[in-house]
Amino acid sequence: LYGKITVSVNNDQLLININDKVKANLSHWHYDTFRGPMEKKWFGEITVQFQLGTNGKVSTANVEGLILKKAE
């Protein structure tokens, strides 16, 4: 419904790409929360909080209040 969101790692930073329209470089902020500036500066900053499942891997991501579950 919300399209494709990809999170990858590059030089100790997370890169988030939302539908190839919204992109940001995320740095560690607090515990499992990362934040950083959007590629298009007028979009401001984005905050993403990752939640781990019982297996220790990411199960959901809270992107500015929108909770997304990892696709199988």
Side-chain angles (χ1 to χ4, degrees):
L1 180 65
Y2 295 108
K4 183 177 181 180
I5 295 177
T6 306
V7 179
S8 56
V9 179
N10 185 18
N11 295 331
D12 292 333
Q13 281 193 321
L14 293 180
L15 306 174
I16 189 166
N17 180 343
I18 304 170
N19 295 322
D20 291 325
K21 304 263 187 236
V22 178
K23 299 176 183 177
N25 291 319
L26 304 174
S27 297
H28 181 253
W29 185 57
H30 188 65
Y31 292 107
D32 295 332
T33 305
F34 292 76
R35 66 187 310 195
M38 301 289 240
E39 185 178 68
K40 296 179 181 175
K41 300 297 181 199
W42 58 87
F43 285 167
E45 286 195 344
I46 190 169
T47 302
V48 180
Q49 181 182 27
F50 297 98
Q51 295 157 352
L52 306 178
T54 56
N55 61 359
K57 295 183 180 184
V58 173
S59 62
T60 62
N62 181 334
V63 181
E64 294 292 329
L66 180 65
I67 298 175
L68 305 166
K69 186 174 181 178
K70 185 176 179 180
E72 298 298 323

